Amino acid sequence: MTYETLRWEVDDDGVGTLTLHRPDHLNAFDLTMAGELEQFFREDAVDDAVRAVVVTGAGRAFCAGMDLSAEGNVFGLDESVRPTVAEFRASYDEAPYDEGVRDTGGKVTLAVHALPKPVIAAINGPAVGIGATMTLAMDLRLASTKARIGFVFGRLGIVPEAASTWFLPRIVGMQQALEWVYSADILDADAALAGRLVRSVHEPDDLVPAAQELARSFVVDRSPTALGLAKRLLYRNSAVADPLEAHLSDSLAMYWQSIGDGKEGVAAFLEKRTPSFTGRASDLPDVF
């Protein structure tokens, strides 16, 4: 697929690198990028040849936030629609609400979250607003020493979007999330590391290779179905009210893996050889 705002490549190990590519605009997020990112994570990244995805930015920025130069409603929303809560919840994925009211950043992060594969953000420079919140749906975040991250919504009179009010407290805790949103300050890489938003900080030239190597360590000689199920189990079961719910889904996942890639994994372990898994992330069993 050819994209206007993205660049995409995959290596022989199935580690793909997705680059936000509007360098002349600091990779600012516009409606074209929103649509292309959603399409990428719902279609191209689902290909079984793709085992993991690293996301970074072209040039000196990761993503400078929403492109505020657009005419009309800069968020692409229909100002003539006046939905009630009940109307929107009942028909949020239908016209006029799907395009006119739904947050475009949220559509992207839901698509990222739904991908049953490791997704790693390599934050190479400024990541502000949606540039920061889109990374929260990714499984890990690595940052360059030149990264600058800001949840700056309060400065614009808007609210955190892209489902970030679900993701951010789960990553850094409620107190830290509230402080960063209230202050709307720009964080440097060390502050983001101290707040546990990012996993590690790297020199600029080392960032993407480090993210790619980390992704490679997750997927080489690993079962795609085991990884995909583990991702879904961790996200889903960390939010359930009772461990019985985790036990029930764990049980089904263990059952299906025990008669699938698990057989090969055990055999390879006993025979002291590299496993040859045949499961596909595109064909996960239903365990919820």
Side-chain angles (χ1 to χ4, degrees), residues 1-6 8 18 31-47 104 107-112 115:
M1 178 70 189
T2 300
Y3 293 108
E4 181 180 332
T5 68
L6 308 174
W8 170 239
L18 179 70
L31 296 181
T32 300
M33 181 181 286
E36 291 185 346
L37 281 168
E38 185 181 6
Q39 180 177 344
F40 170 81
F41 280 102
R42 294 210 182 274
E43 297 179 13
D44 287 13
V46 174
D47 189 322
T104 54
K107 289 184 177 183
V108 170
T109 55
L110 291 176
V112 175
L115 184 70

Side-chain angles (χ1 to χ4, degrees), residues 242-265:
D242 192 288
L244 173 61
E245 293 298 324
H247 167 65
L248 296 177
S249 53
D250 290 350
S251 296
L252 282 175
M254 277 297 294
Y255 173 80
W256 290 115
Q257 285 304 107
S258 77
I259 63 176
D261 276 349
K263 281 190 181 294
E264 168 61 11

